[in-house]
Amino acid sequence: VDDAAVPERIVTLDAHDALPAGARILERNEREVVANVDALMLERMLRTGIVPHVTRSRIGFVDEDPVLRARLQRDDARPQATATGFRVDESYKDATLVEGILRAYAKKFPDIARVVPIGETTLGRPMLALEIGSHRGGDVDSVLLDGAHHGGELMSIELVVDAVQQLIEGYHRDPLMTALVDGLDIWCVPLVNVDGNMRFVHETLASTRKNVDGVDGVDLYRNYPSDWGGNGEVGSKSNPFHYKYRGPEPASEPEIKAMMKLASDERFTSSIDYHTNSTAILVPYTDPQMTSPDPNEAWAIARAMSDASGVQVNGRRYSVQRNLYPVDGVYQDWLRDRFGTVALLVEGPQHNPLPYATMRAKNVDGTRPTWRTLLQRTLRGPGFVVHVRDADGKPIEAEVVVDEQKLKM
């Protein structure tokens, strides 16, 4: 989703003041009315003698979504408890609400879940993962589900949080969830771009991609050291002011270093990186400068994910393709190139649709089969797992070559 200029203003008026035609009321009580107006409407108000108590030129998502606004007014970031766990569908989420959910699950289900700090952001906020598994570690495959490399793509957070809830609350209740938790080490990072998320939610809709404001910000999904900048100004941008700015050098951002370290530690067998708004599953290598292995098993797995998901809320099915447009420096290409991970990018059908209460369920329910299918395929195959150890039984790094698969040169 591209960043866009936001010319609107948020104004607070007396309840009896007349609003200009086209103004959109965000909130009203007996004393005041809060409305969204453009610059021309504001000028008309001032010329007729109506002076707002407060005028803000920057609008955060919280100003657009009354459900999130009401949720954030509660002092307690912890989710509401239920008979089986917690509500995760109260509202869209900022970083504080995401952390509250992860810590709540880890505290209530310590045998299968734990919060793992994986790094700090550019502005010093914590980056958190939730590790799910009945064994946590050992000779099992590790899988990664992550969201919101672009902090303004709030629905991508919902898709990962849904997986957290389904896996943990389904343990010992649902045979498939039990098998997945027992048989895999599942890492969930619902929010990669913590700083960008807080800025989008609380400060301005004009930033959906970068981690911080203006020239200092980087599009995190173009900062990985996989053919970084290899497509020139087509795949990413060298202009620091552009919303697709790739950064001053590969892996310059602490958020990217954190995700790379997590992958280096865990050697993920498979992964999904969730984004929004294109109804597509992208198969590495998405970068047109990179040569994919032949045969590429990721295509068959992605097609199975699409088939299982069916028709989405927008009337479309998930298309399986290499990319949406030329791009470089992305996570799924780096994971595939560095570790052979079946690293897929899932672009959900919609971008932060409202009203939340109805649209969240339609997006989440339709996309849930993507992670369920990938985890089942990772656990049950077809496939094989190789563990290479030294004389003392300690794991060592090794290259495994499959004769039937031609890798890139």
Side-chain angles (χ1 to χ4, degrees), residues 24-43:
R24 184 155 55 91
I25 296 175
L26 301 176
E27 204 169 309
R28 183 191 288 276
N29 57 45
E30 293 180 355
R31 297 180 298 104
E32 294 179 329
V33 58
V34 180
N36 187 332
V37 301
D38 62 24
L40 181 58
M41 294 177 193
L42 179 59
E43 180 66 21

Side-chain angles (χ1 to χ4, degrees), residues 241-271:
F241 289 98
H242 199 279
Y243 63 89
K244 292 183 180 179
Y245 175 49
R246 57 180 169 258
E249 62 185 15
S252 60
E253 306 308 292
E255 298 91 341
I256 301 309
K257 290 183 174 70
M259 294 300 290
M260 290 173 60
K261 183 179 186 306
L262 176 62
S264 297
D265 291 343
E266 292 302 315
R267 308 299 173 99
F268 296 113
T269 302
S270 59
S271 69

Side-chain angles (χ1 to χ4, degrees), residues 30-75:
E30 293 180 355
R31 297 180 298 104
E32 294 179 329
V33 58
V34 180
N36 187 332
V37 301
D38 62 24
L40 181 58
M41 294 177 193
L42 179 59
E43 180 66 21
R44 287 172 179 165
M45 292 167 54
L46 295 174
R47 286 178 181 271
T48 58
I50 299 174
V51 180
H53 303 309
V54 180
T55 302
R56 287 189 290 119
S57 59
R58 305 189 101 186
I59 301 170
F61 187 81
V62 68
D63 298 309
E64 296 279 290
D65 182 3
V67 175
L68 177 57
R69 190 161 59 248
R71 175 65 184 89
L72 290 172
Q73 287 172 354
R74 283 169 38 193
D75 292 335

Side-chain angles (χ1 to χ4, degrees), residues 286-353:
T286 56
D287 184 342
Q289 299 292 332
M290 301 177 74
T291 302
S292 298
D294 182 24
N296 187 351
E297 77 286 355
W299 281 93
I301 296 172
R303 291 189 181 107
M305 291 162 57
S306 174
D307 291 344
S309 299
V311 177
Q312 298 299 300
V313 61
N314 58 2
R316 297 167 55 190
R317 300 183 71 95
Y318 274 107
S319 63
V320 179
Q321 55 199 80
R322 179 167 182 165
N323 58 33
L324 301 175
Y325 41 75
V327 65
D328 46 41
V330 297
Y331 195 32
Q332 72 269 27
D333 286 353
W334 181 79
L335 284 170
R336 181 66 173 182
D337 183 56
R338 182 68 181 85
F339 302 117
T341 305
V342 178
L344 303 169
L345 186 151
V346 174
E347 287 259 356
Q350 293 182 315
H351 175 69
N352 309 341

Side-chain angles (χ1 to χ4, degrees), residues 222-240:
R222 283 158 174 78
N223 189 237
Y224 286 92
S226 54
D227 193 37
W228 179 84
N231 289 274
E233 298 304 300
V234 176
S236 57
K237 301 297 181 182
S238 60
N239 180 0

Side-chain angles (χ1 to χ4, degrees), residues 62-174:
V62 68
D63 298 309
E64 296 279 290
D65 182 3
V67 175
L68 177 57
R69 190 161 59 248
R71 175 65 184 89
L72 290 172
Q73 287 172 354
R74 283 169 38 193
D75 292 335
D76 192 351
R78 292 175 298 180
Q80 293 182 14
T82 66
T84 58
F86 301 97
R87 277 197 67 184
V88 298
D89 61 349
E90 295 180 78
S91 71
Y92 282 117
K93 296 159 186 65
D94 69 357
T96 302
L97 297 180
V98 172
E99 180 174 352
I101 288 171
L102 300 187
R103 293 197 181 282
Y105 273 110
K107 183 177 181 180
K108 186 175 179 64
F109 301 94
D111 292 340
I112 59 171
R114 70 179 179 118
V115 171
V116 181
I118 61 173
E120 287 190 352
T121 69
T122 299
L123 298 181
R125 293 187 174 102
M127 294 178 64
L128 301 177
L130 190 71
E131 184 186 9
I132 302 172
S134 60
H135 37 73
R136 294 203 296 270
D139 289 342
V140 298
D141 290 328
S142 290
V143 182
L144 172 67
L145 305 176
D146 73 71
H149 267 84
H150 295 146
E153 296 181 3
L154 305 183
M155 184 56 75
S156 70
I157 298 171
E158 300 297 318
L159 300 175
V160 182
V161 169
D162 173 66
V164 168
Q165 181 187 52
Q166 296 291 315
L167 288 162
I168 294 178
E169 296 187 25
Y171 189 60
H172 290 327
R173 292 186 176 90
D174 179 294

